[in-house]
Amino acid sequence: MRSTMNISASILVLMMGFSLVACGNSNPAVQPPTNNTGEQTPAPAPEEQPAEGDVIEAEGILTGWADPHTVEIRVKDEPMSFQVEESVQPLFDDIDDEDTVRFKYVERTFAGDTTIKQLVVKEITKVEVDDDDNGASTGAIGTSNRPKTSELEVTVEGMTEKRPVTLAQGNGYSLYVFEPMAFDADENELTMKIDPDYEVEIEKLPADYNLDFLKMDAKEELSETGEVKELTKKELSTGSMNDAQLYMMSQNDKKTEYYIVKELDGNGFIFRVNAPIGEPSEGFLPMAYASLNSIMNEEVSPPK
């Protein structure tokens, strides 16, 4: 009897051993993954791409290349640097320095540092110069035979000195412009960069203009600002406009306006001057008058 019980116990132990071995051989794929830290390893973040703003259209003068990927363009007489990607560079093949260009660009910012901004050219084309009805080019820049740079004498706050100037081309004429000022060839306007309200509108007169009619026009225009006064030759004798055919003005507590008719290089011009009351007014008129006195007629040759 005791022997039978020992045999049964041995059989039971063997069966339990087989059962444990079978459990140990189960497929490990169904077991939960082991993670010693208890945390999931995050996937690497994708590389952040720069953000681009809206497409902006502009027109300017190509100054030149600063490096193989950076070009400078003067926009309204302000030099600006633009990045040029390789896909856009072939568009510059037919564009030379000092050519007028029309282009599209975007402002690119970077998420890591929003203070870093790039202006990136997307499209660019050369603006061809067309002749107008009078045979003079409209908005042509740098087509004169005059030196591109020079010096003009100007008296500001009692001090007379020579200052550098740059040649600008208007509609049928050219003139020299001081650095603090800008010239818009399309509008024939000379302005102060710091405040464009300081401006001179330039109008080239036909050969048969009538001075009496212009005087009536001047009175009508200037009367909207204040009482109209015409300066005499004696009053003009010590100024830079001493040989003007007509010099009329009016003013109020905000600005002074002038209507000046003068002949330069055999042609009559009207200069409508708007001078607000303010700090830039000290240098505005002397520099404006020096630029206007530099005007020469320029009948630009048609493009080849």
Side-chain angles (χ1 to χ4, degrees):
M1 184 65 176
R2 183 183 298 270
S3 176
T4 303
M5 292 179 63
N6 290 338
I7 293 172
S8 298
S10 299
I11 293 173
L12 179 60
V13 171
L14 289 173
M15 291 179 66
M16 291 177 63
F18 289 141
S19 176
L20 290 174
V21 172
C23 289
N25 288 337
S26 60
N27 190 347
V30 299
Q31 302 300 316
T34 301
N35 192 328
N36 294 331
T37 63
E39 297 179 358
Q40 294 292 326
T41 303
E47 184 179 352
E48 293 180 343
Q49 297 297 319
E52 292 187 353
D54 295 335
V55 175
I56 302 171
E57 296 188 24
E59 186 170 311
I61 309 297
L62 179 67
T63 303
W65 291 82
D67 59 52
H69 301 284
T70 308
V71 71
E72 184 178 275
I73 301 175
R74 282 197 319 274
V75 180
K76 294 183 178 180
D77 284 338
E78 290 289 344
M80 299 176 66
S81 294
F82 297 87
Q83 297 298 304
V84 183
E85 296 173 340
E86 291 186 7
S87 59
V88 180
Q89 289 181 8
L91 299 179
F92 286 81
D93 290 347
D94 297 326
I95 303 175
D96 298 321
D97 292 355
E98 298 303 319
D99 279 347
T100 301
V101 293
R102 187 173 293 116
F103 62 102
K104 296 180 181 179
Y105 70 94
V106 297
E107 185 178 272
R108 182 177 291 170
T109 56
F110 298 84
D113 187 352
T114 56
T115 62
I116 300 177
K117 296 182 180 180
Q118 288 183 340
L119 304 181
V120 184
V121 175
K122 293 295 185 180
E123 299 178 19
I124 190 166
T125 56
K126 178 180 176 180
V127 177
E128 300 294 342
V129 178
D130 295 326
D131 291 342
D132 63 14
D133 294 337
N134 296 323
S137 70
T138 301
I141 304 296
T143 53
S144 171
N145 291 325
R146 303 171 74 181
K148 297 293 178 65
T149 59
S150 186
E151 290 184 337
L152 290 181
E153 191 173 272
V154 61
T155 302
V156 178
E157 297 180 349
M159 297 185 60
T160 300
E161 60 183 354
K162 288 187 176 182
R163 295 186 180 182
V165 288
T166 303
L167 186 68
Q169 182 71 49
N171 186 5
Y173 63 91
S174 64
L175 76 166
Y176 284 104
V177 179
F178 292 92
E179 171 55 32
M181 307 187 77
F183 180 70
D184 187 326
D186 293 328
E187 300 295 333
N188 290 288
E189 287 183 351
L190 184 66
T191 61
M192 291 285 283
K193 291 180 180 179
I194 193 173
D195 188 346
D197 286 338
Y198 290 85
E199 66 174 350
V200 181
E201 295 181 6
I202 302 172
E203 179 182 346
K204 190 174 183 180
L205 291 167
D208 59 348
Y209 72 89
N210 186 303
L211 192 61
D212 292 331
F213 289 162
L214 295 179
K215 185 182 294 188
M216 290 189 290
D217 290 340
K219 287 181 178 179
E220 184 177 352
E221 290 182 18
L222 295 174
S223 62
E224 297 181 6
T225 299
E227 182 181 355
V228 181
K229 178 182 179 180
E230 180 180 356
L231 272 66
T232 64
K233 292 290 185 182
K234 183 177 181 180
E235 291 173 311
L236 293 171
S237 60
T238 58
S240 56
M241 288 290 172
N242 55 9
D243 53 350
Q245 277 70 43
L246 180 67
Y247 191 109
M248 301 178 71
M249 61 178 290
S250 65
Q251 64 183 65
N252 54 33
D253 60 346
K254 295 182 179 179
K255 64 180 180 178
T256 304
E257 289 189 341
Y258 303 86
Y259 187 108
I260 304 168
V261 178
K262 185 170 183 176
E263 288 198 0
L264 292 156
D265 197 26
N267 205 102
F269 290 85
I270 299 174
F271 305 131
R272 294 177 174 87
V273 184
N274 185 71
I277 305 299
E279 185 176 348
S281 59
E282 284 291 333
F284 170 62
L285 284 178
M287 287 189 291
Y289 287 168
S291 290
L292 297 174
N293 284 331
S294 73
I295 285 178
M296 288 183 61
N297 286 307
E298 297 281 1
E299 298 302 330
V300 181
S301 302
K304 296 180 180 180

